[in-house]
Amino acid sequence: KDIKKELHREKDGTFTLLEEFNDELKIQQPKTNRFKGKVYFLIDGRSGSATAEFTAVAHSNHLGVFIGEETGGAYEGGNGGSFLHFELPHSKISIQSPLICYENAVHDPRVKGRGTIPDHDVPWKLNDALNAVDTQLEFVLDLISSKQ
């Protein structure tokens, strides 16, 4: 019922949700009692959706060291939230289309249209998984040990 006052129509035909109608869009300040130690983020291609958005913002704000592989979601933002669901009339194929585009509050990415690129590229290896070896975790533990 409040859609006309909550959305601003853009020149390209899209709409922007106005921040005064959603507290989550306002600048968030860190809590005074937050963790202030060194943070290590383990990321890979399965880091998508909200995880990809979180890691992009954390990376852009230099909140830690990123280890692993590029995230699955785009650094600049993504889409999702609400979806329209369709069934194509002749083929009966089901499709869905997102209604919301998210723009992350990040600095320019290293490469546009890509995910968060780790500071330390530590690829996942099938052989390690088969032998229950967590290559990324071992890398982080070695990194922490070498800094002490």
mmCIF file of all heavy atoms in Angstrom, residues 105-138:
data_model
loop_
_atom_site.group_PDB
_atom_site.id
_atom_site.type_symbol
_atom_site.label_atom_id
_atom_site.label_comp_id
_atom_site.label_asym_id
_atom_site.label_seq_id
_atom_site.Cartn_x
_atom_site.Cartn_y
_atom_site.Cartn_z
ATOM 1 N N ALA A 105 27.874 -1.976 -0.789
ATOM 2 C CA ALA A 105 28.615 -0.763 -0.457
ATOM 3 C C ALA A 105 30.105 -1.113 -0.431
ATOM 4 O O ALA A 105 30.703 -1.306 0.621
ATOM 5 C CB ALA A 105 28.155 -0.216 0.893
ATOM 6 N N VAL A 106 30.680 -1.243 -1.632
ATOM 7 C CA VAL A 106 32.080 -1.645 -1.759
ATOM 8 C C VAL A 106 32.836 -0.653 -2.641
ATOM 9 O O VAL A 106 32.243 0.065 -3.439
ATOM 10 C CB VAL A 106 32.208 -3.064 -2.377
ATOM 11 C CG1 VAL A 106 31.628 -4.111 -1.446
ATOM 12 C CG2 VAL A 106 31.554 -3.145 -3.743
ATOM 13 N N HIS A 107 34.153 -0.655 -2.477
ATOM 14 C CA HIS A 107 35.023 0.115 -3.370
ATOM 15 C C HIS A 107 35.110 -0.650 -4.691
ATOM 16 O O HIS A 107 34.701 -1.801 -4.784
ATOM 17 C CB HIS A 107 36.406 0.290 -2.745
ATOM 18 C CG HIS A 107 36.363 1.004 -1.422
ATOM 19 N ND1 HIS A 107 36.078 2.351 -1.312
ATOM 20 C CD2 HIS A 107 36.531 0.550 -0.166
ATOM 21 C CE1 HIS A 107 36.092 2.702 -0.033
ATOM 22 N NE2 HIS A 107 36.351 1.622 0.686
ATOM 23 N N ASP A 108 35.677 -0.023 -5.703
ATOM 24 C CA ASP A 108 35.795 -0.683 -7.005
ATOM 25 C C ASP A 108 36.478 -2.042 -6.858
ATOM 26 O O ASP A 108 37.511 -2.152 -6.190
ATOM 27 C CB ASP A 108 36.590 0.186 -7.976
ATOM 28 C CG ASP A 108 35.780 1.378 -8.468
ATOM 29 O OD1 ASP A 108 34.533 1.304 -8.448
ATOM 30 O OD2 ASP A 108 36.400 2.376 -8.869
ATOM 31 N N PRO A 109 35.919 -3.067 -7.494
ATOM 32 C CA PRO A 109 36.508 -4.405 -7.398
ATOM 33 C C PRO A 109 37.778 -4.512 -8.225
ATOM 34 O O PRO A 109 38.022 -3.699 -9.116
ATOM 35 C CB PRO A 109 35.416 -5.304 -7.969
ATOM 36 C CG PRO A 109 34.678 -4.426 -8.911
ATOM 37 C CD PRO A 109 34.722 -3.037 -8.316
ATOM 38 N N ARG A 110 38.580 -5.528 -7.914
ATOM 39 C CA ARG A 110 39.778 -5.784 -8.724
ATOM 40 C C ARG A 110 39.375 -6.046 -10.169
ATOM 41 O O ARG A 110 40.002 -5.562 -11.095
ATOM 42 C CB ARG A 110 40.535 -7.010 -8.197
ATOM 43 C CG ARG A 110 41.232 -6.788 -6.897
ATOM 44 C CD ARG A 110 42.075 -8.002 -6.566
ATOM 45 N NE ARG A 110 42.307 -8.058 -5.121
ATOM 46 C CZ ARG A 110 42.855 -9.068 -4.509
ATOM 47 N NH1 ARG A 110 43.240 -10.123 -5.181
ATOM 48 N NH2 ARG A 110 43.022 -9.047 -3.210
ATOM 49 N N VAL A 111 38.321 -6.860 -10.331
ATOM 50 C CA VAL A 111 37.813 -7.199 -11.668
ATOM 51 C C VAL A 111 36.292 -7.113 -11.611
ATOM 52 O O VAL A 111 35.667 -7.806 -10.816
ATOM 53 C CB VAL A 111 38.240 -8.626 -12.088
ATOM 54 C CG1 VAL A 111 37.762 -8.932 -13.498
ATOM 55 C CG2 VAL A 111 39.736 -8.828 -11.968
ATOM 56 N N LYS A 112 35.703 -6.249 -12.440
ATOM 57 C CA LYS A 112 34.238 -6.100 -12.442
ATOM 58 C C LYS A 112 33.557 -7.400 -12.854
ATOM 59 O O LYS A 112 34.048 -8.128 -13.706
ATOM 60 C CB LYS A 112 33.821 -4.982 -13.392
ATOM 61 C CG LYS A 112 33.984 -3.609 -12.817
ATOM 62 C CD LYS A 112 33.265 -2.602 -13.709
ATOM 63 C CE LYS A 112 33.068 -1.294 -13.005
ATOM 64 N NZ LYS A 112 32.105 -1.319 -11.935
ATOM 65 N N GLY A 113 32.414 -7.659 -12.202
ATOM 66 C CA GLY A 113 31.625 -8.825 -12.551
ATOM 67 C C GLY A 113 32.122 -10.132 -11.970
ATOM 68 O O GLY A 113 31.586 -11.193 -12.265
ATOM 69 N N ARG A 114 33.139 -10.075 -11.130
ATOM 70 C CA ARG A 114 33.692 -11.280 -10.508
ATOM 71 C C ARG A 114 33.358 -11.262 -9.025
ATOM 72 O O ARG A 114 32.857 -10.282 -8.491
ATOM 73 C CB ARG A 114 35.219 -11.306 -10.685
ATOM 74 C CG ARG A 114 35.705 -11.306 -12.116
ATOM 75 C CD ARG A 114 35.752 -12.669 -12.764
ATOM 76 N NE ARG A 114 36.521 -13.641 -12.036
ATOM 77 C CZ ARG A 114 37.813 -13.902 -12.233
ATOM 78 N NH1 ARG A 114 38.486 -13.242 -13.142
ATOM 79 N NH2 ARG A 114 38.421 -14.834 -11.530
ATOM 80 N N GLY A 115 33.662 -12.346 -8.357
ATOM 81 C CA GLY A 115 33.442 -12.436 -6.922
ATOM 82 C C GLY A 115 34.570 -11.804 -6.144
ATOM 83 O O GLY A 115 35.444 -11.135 -6.709
ATOM 84 N N THR A 116 34.572 -12.036 -4.835
ATOM 85 C CA THR A 116 35.679 -11.583 -3.992
ATOM 86 C C THR A 116 36.886 -12.461 -4.308
ATOM 87 O O THR A 116 36.806 -13.685 -4.238
ATOM 88 C CB THR A 116 35.318 -11.701 -2.503
ATOM 89 O OG1 THR A 116 34.176 -10.879 -2.240
ATOM 90 C CG2 THR A 116 36.473 -11.270 -1.612
ATOM 91 N N ILE A 117 37.987 -11.816 -4.684
ATOM 92 C CA ILE A 117 39.220 -12.531 -5.010
ATOM 93 C C ILE A 117 40.023 -12.655 -3.714
ATOM 94 O O ILE A 117 40.264 -11.653 -3.034
ATOM 95 C CB ILE A 117 40.050 -11.760 -6.063
ATOM 96 C CG1 ILE A 117 39.195 -11.384 -7.283
ATOM 97 C CG2 ILE A 117 41.302 -12.539 -6.440
ATOM 98 C CD1 ILE A 117 38.758 -12.507 -8.156
ATOM 99 N N PRO A 118 40.432 -13.870 -3.352
ATOM 100 C CA PRO A 118 41.149 -14.031 -2.077
ATOM 101 C C PRO A 118 42.529 -13.378 -2.096
ATOM 102 O O PRO A 118 43.143 -13.218 -3.155
ATOM 103 C CB PRO A 118 41.258 -15.544 -1.926
ATOM 104 C CG PRO A 118 41.186 -16.081 -3.314
ATOM 105 C CD PRO A 118 40.301 -15.130 -4.076
ATOM 106 N N ASP A 119 42.998 -13.032 -0.915
ATOM 107 C CA ASP A 119 44.361 -12.512 -0.765
ATOM 108 C C ASP A 119 45.377 -13.633 -0.991
ATOM 109 O O ASP A 119 46.477 -13.400 -1.481
ATOM 110 C CB ASP A 119 44.546 -11.920 0.632
ATOM 111 C CG ASP A 119 43.579 -10.792 0.909
ATOM 112 O OD1 ASP A 119 43.447 -9.897 0.057
ATOM 113 O OD2 ASP A 119 42.933 -10.805 1.981
ATOM 114 N N HIS A 120 44.991 -14.832 -0.591
ATOM 115 C CA HIS A 120 45.832 -16.022 -0.760
ATOM 116 C C HIS A 120 45.005 -17.073 -1.501
ATOM 117 O O HIS A 120 44.028 -17.584 -0.960
ATOM 118 C CB HIS A 120 46.290 -16.588 0.589
ATOM 119 C CG HIS A 120 47.103 -15.620 1.386
ATOM 120 N ND1 HIS A 120 48.440 -15.402 1.166
ATOM 121 C CD2 HIS A 120 46.746 -14.802 2.404
ATOM 122 C CE1 HIS A 120 48.877 -14.493 2.023
ATOM 123 N NE2 HIS A 120 47.869 -14.117 2.776
ATOM 124 N N ASP A 121 45.402 -17.363 -2.741
ATOM 125 C CA ASP A 121 44.677 -18.346 -3.546
ATOM 126 C C ASP A 121 45.087 -19.747 -3.096
ATOM 127 O O ASP A 121 46.231 -20.158 -3.280
ATOM 128 C CB ASP A 121 45.000 -18.136 -5.028
ATOM 129 C CG ASP A 121 44.155 -19.014 -5.928
ATOM 130 O OD1 ASP A 121 42.973 -19.241 -5.601
ATOM 131 O OD2 ASP A 121 44.689 -19.488 -6.957
ATOM 132 N N VAL A 122 44.155 -20.464 -2.479
ATOM 133 C CA VAL A 122 44.396 -21.831 -2.015
ATOM 134 C C VAL A 122 43.271 -22.687 -2.595
ATOM 135 O O VAL A 122 42.182 -22.765 -2.025
ATOM 136 C CB VAL A 122 44.421 -21.913 -0.465
ATOM 137 C CG1 VAL A 122 44.692 -23.339 -0.019
ATOM 138 C CG2 VAL A 122 45.447 -20.952 0.111
ATOM 139 N N PRO A 123 43.514 -23.291 -3.754
ATOM 140 C CA PRO A 123 42.447 -24.040 -4.415
ATOM 141 C C PRO A 123 42.060 -25.320 -3.686
ATOM 142 O O PRO A 123 42.880 -25.939 -3.016
ATOM 143 C CB PRO A 123 43.031 -24.358 -5.795
ATOM 144 C CG PRO A 123 44.496 -24.188 -5.673
ATOM 145 C CD PRO A 123 44.756 -23.270 -4.518
ATOM 146 N N TRP A 124 40.803 -25.672 -3.842
ATOM 147 C CA TRP A 124 40.264 -26.922 -3.322
ATOM 148 C C TRP A 124 40.729 -28.044 -4.233
ATOM 149 O O TRP A 124 40.697 -27.912 -5.451
ATOM 150 C CB TRP A 124 38.740 -26.820 -3.320
ATOM 151 C CG TRP A 124 38.034 -28.026 -2.817
ATOM 152 C CD1 TRP A 124 37.707 -28.288 -1.520
ATOM 153 C CD2 TRP A 124 37.537 -29.124 -3.580
ATOM 154 N NE1 TRP A 124 37.040 -29.483 -1.427
ATOM 155 C CE2 TRP A 124 36.923 -30.024 -2.693
ATOM 156 C CE3 TRP A 124 37.555 -29.447 -4.922
ATOM 157 C CZ2 TRP A 124 36.338 -31.209 -3.094
ATOM 158 C CZ3 TRP A 124 36.979 -30.645 -5.337
ATOM 159 C CH2 TRP A 124 36.378 -31.502 -4.426
ATOM 160 N N LYS A 125 41.164 -29.155 -3.648
ATOM 161 C CA LYS A 125 41.635 -30.282 -4.446
ATOM 162 C C LYS A 125 40.850 -31.527 -4.074
ATOM 163 O O LYS A 125 40.677 -31.830 -2.887
ATOM 164 C CB LYS A 125 43.125 -30.506 -4.207
ATOM 165 C CG LYS A 125 43.981 -29.347 -4.654
ATOM 166 C CD LYS A 125 45.437 -29.575 -4.315
ATOM 167 C CE LYS A 125 46.225 -28.339 -4.664
ATOM 168 N NZ LYS A 125 47.312 -28.102 -3.749
ATOM 169 N N LEU A 126 40.383 -32.250 -5.075
ATOM 170 C CA LEU A 126 39.596 -33.456 -4.853
ATOM 171 C C LEU A 126 40.359 -34.465 -3.996
ATOM 172 O O LEU A 126 39.807 -35.064 -3.075
ATOM 173 C CB LEU A 126 39.194 -34.088 -6.186
ATOM 174 C CG LEU A 126 38.385 -35.377 -6.097
ATOM 175 C CD1 LEU A 126 37.091 -35.156 -5.329
ATOM 176 C CD2 LEU A 126 38.098 -35.931 -7.476
ATOM 177 N N ASN A 127 41.630 -34.659 -4.285
ATOM 178 C CA ASN A 127 42.430 -35.628 -3.532
ATOM 179 C C ASN A 127 42.479 -35.276 -2.046
ATOM 180 O O ASN A 127 42.409 -36.163 -1.189
ATOM 181 C CB ASN A 127 43.839 -35.718 -4.126
ATOM 182 C CG ASN A 127 44.555 -36.972 -3.672
ATOM 183 O OD1 ASN A 127 43.949 -38.040 -3.613
ATOM 184 N ND2 ASN A 127 45.823 -36.846 -3.346
ATOM 185 N N ASP A 128 42.586 -33.987 -1.736
ATOM 186 C CA ASP A 128 42.586 -33.566 -0.319
ATOM 187 C C ASP A 128 41.243 -33.887 0.332
ATOM 188 O O ASP A 128 41.199 -34.368 1.469
ATOM 189 C CB ASP A 128 42.879 -32.072 -0.196
ATOM 190 C CG ASP A 128 44.328 -31.735 -0.511
ATOM 191 O OD1 ASP A 128 45.173 -32.656 -0.498
ATOM 192 O OD2 ASP A 128 44.598 -30.550 -0.777
ATOM 193 N N ALA A 129 40.169 -33.623 -0.380
ATOM 194 C CA ALA A 129 38.835 -33.915 0.169
ATOM 195 C C ALA A 129 38.668 -35.412 0.413
ATOM 196 O O ALA A 129 38.124 -35.826 1.440
ATOM 197 C CB ALA A 129 37.754 -33.400 -0.776
ATOM 198 N N LEU A 130 39.138 -36.230 -0.519
ATOM 199 C CA LEU A 130 39.031 -37.678 -0.364
ATOM 200 C C LEU A 130 39.840 -38.190 0.822
ATOM 201 O O LEU A 130 39.504 -39.222 1.418
ATOM 202 C CB LEU A 130 39.475 -38.382 -1.649
ATOM 203 C CG LEU A 130 38.573 -38.165 -2.874
ATOM 204 C CD1 LEU A 130 39.218 -38.759 -4.126
ATOM 205 C CD2 LEU A 130 37.186 -38.746 -2.640
ATOM 206 N N ASN A 131 40.901 -37.475 1.166
ATOM 207 C CA ASN A 131 41.759 -37.872 2.285
ATOM 208 C C ASN A 131 41.472 -37.061 3.551
ATOM 209 O O ASN A 131 42.282 -37.066 4.482
ATOM 210 C CB ASN A 131 43.230 -37.741 1.886
ATOM 211 C CG ASN A 131 43.598 -38.754 0.826
ATOM 212 O OD1 ASN A 131 43.405 -39.943 1.011
ATOM 213 N ND2 ASN A 131 44.100 -38.277 -0.300
ATOM 214 N N ALA A 132 40.327 -36.360 3.571
ATOM 215 C CA ALA A 132 39.900 -35.559 4.729
ATOM 216 C C ALA A 132 40.956 -34.537 5.150
ATOM 217 O O ALA A 132 41.205 -34.323 6.331
ATOM 218 C CB ALA A 132 39.523 -36.470 5.905
ATOM 219 N N VAL A 133 41.565 -33.889 4.149
ATOM 220 C CA VAL A 133 42.545 -32.838 4.403
ATOM 221 C C VAL A 133 41.895 -31.502 4.044
ATOM 222 O O VAL A 133 41.409 -31.334 2.927
ATOM 223 C CB VAL A 133 43.828 -33.052 3.555
ATOM 224 C CG1 VAL A 133 44.788 -31.886 3.716
ATOM 225 C CG2 VAL A 133 44.487 -34.367 3.919
ATOM 226 N N ASP A 134 41.879 -30.590 4.984
ATOM 227 C CA ASP A 134 41.316 -29.252 4.743
ATOM 228 C C ASP A 134 42.473 -28.307 4.423
ATOM 229 O O ASP A 134 43.068 -27.698 5.309
ATOM 230 C CB ASP A 134 40.532 -28.777 5.966
ATOM 231 C CG ASP A 134 39.734 -27.512 5.698
ATOM 232 O OD1 ASP A 134 40.136 -26.724 4.810
ATOM 233 O OD2 ASP A 134 38.728 -27.302 6.383
ATOM 234 N N THR A 135 42.791 -28.207 3.135
ATOM 235 C CA THR A 135 43.950 -27.440 2.667
ATOM 236 C C THR A 135 43.860 -25.971 3.087
ATOM 237 O O THR A 135 44.860 -25.380 3.505
ATOM 238 C CB THR A 135 44.050 -27.521 1.133
ATOM 239 O OG1 THR A 135 43.960 -28.896 0.750
ATOM 240 C CG2 THR A 135 45.339 -26.931 0.622
ATOM 241 N N GLN A 136 42.674 -25.387 2.972
ATOM 242 C CA GLN A 136 42.515 -23.973 3.312
ATOM 243 C C GLN A 136 42.705 -23.739 4.809
ATOM 244 O O GLN A 136 43.391 -22.798 5.210
ATOM 245 C CB GLN A 136 41.158 -23.465 2.834
ATOM 246 C CG GLN A 136 41.048 -23.470 1.335
ATOM 247 C CD GLN A 136 39.645 -23.201 0.836
ATOM 248 O OE1 GLN A 136 38.676 -23.285 1.574
ATOM 249 N NE2 GLN A 136 39.531 -22.877 -0.438
ATOM 250 N N LEU A 137 42.119 -24.592 5.632
ATOM 251 C CA LEU A 137 42.285 -24.451 7.084
ATOM 252 C C LEU A 137 43.740 -24.630 7.476
ATOM 253 O O LEU A 137 44.278 -23.868 8.283
ATOM 254 C CB LEU A 137 41.399 -25.452 7.826
ATOM 255 C CG LEU A 137 41.512 -25.413 9.353
ATOM 256 C CD1 LEU A 137 41.130 -24.041 9.900
ATOM 257 C CD2 LEU A 137 40.648 -26.507 9.970
ATOM 258 N N GLU A 138 44.406 -25.622 6.900
ATOM 259 C CA GLU A 138 45.828 -25.832 7.202
ATOM 260 C C GLU A 138 46.653 -24.619 6.794
ATOM 261 O O GLU A 138 47.581 -24.218 7.495
ATOM 262 C CB GLU A 138 46.335 -27.105 6.525
ATOM 263 C CG GLU A 138 45.816 -28.365 7.186
ATOM 264 C CD GLU A 138 46.384 -29.640 6.601
ATOM 265 O OE1 GLU A 138 47.296 -29.571 5.734
ATOM 266 O OE2 GLU A 138 45.924 -30.714 7.016
#
